Amino acid sequence: MSDYQHLAERYIAVWNTTDPQQRRALVDELFTADATYTDPLGAVSGRDGVDGFVASAQEQFAGLVFSLSGTADGHHDLARFTWHLTPPGGGEPLAIGFDVIEVDGERIRRVHGFLDKVPS
């Protein structure tokens, strides 16, 4: 059984790592080769797709920080958690999301993302 909290923390670290080489190394460690990511703003597959999607979000929300809100929980090969996107140091979230991940051992195979609050 996976440590869902640790996987969620590693996932958030990917979104906060802005150095392209470091981020790609984290993507390669965390996601399976055939991983998919789907949310209301897009759908991508493979590590290249995940890395590119994260890079685009980082450009769009430059300077903002992702953080977990609460604790991840799960069962079998599924986990869920809520995240916030805030200015550095915290404050009112500009975006709030809820992600469900399918895991394969200690890696993420699928991400199903939901946006509960988006910037206007």
Side-chain angles (χ1 to χ4, degrees):
M1 178 112 16
S2 297
D3 179 347
Y4 303 117
Q5 182 68 24
H6 183 64
L7 279 171
E9 290 168 359
R10 291 171 58 204
Y11 174 79
I12 294 297
V14 167
W15 288 89
N16 285 325
T17 301
T18 56
D19 176 271
Q21 291 178 328
Q22 290 178 355
R23 182 185 60 244
R24 181 52 193 246
L26 293 176
V27 167
D28 288 347
E29 292 172 8
L30 182 59
F31 290 88
T32 62
D34 63 344
T36 62
Y37 177 94
T38 307
D39 75 11
L41 303 177
V44 297
S45 61
R47 291 177 180 146
D48 288 342
V50 171
D51 188 43
F53 194 85
V54 172
S56 294
Q58 289 174 344
E59 288 177 21
Q60 183 178 4
F61 301 110
L64 300 178
V65 178
F66 289 88
S67 62
L68 286 175
S69 173
T71 303
D73 69 336
H75 60 84
H76 296 85
D77 64 347
L78 298 172
R80 64 182 180 166
F81 51 87
T82 299
W83 53 263
H84 289 172
L85 180 65
T86 62
E92 183 68 24
L94 300 171
I96 299 173
F98 179 86
D99 289 356
V100 176
I101 59 173
E102 295 179 36
V103 301
D104 183 0
E106 292 300 318
R107 291 191 167 175
I108 296 173
R109 178 175 302 282
R110 309 236 182 286
V111 178
H112 308 278
F114 298 85
L115 299 174
D116 298 325
K117 177 182 177 182
V118 294
S120 54

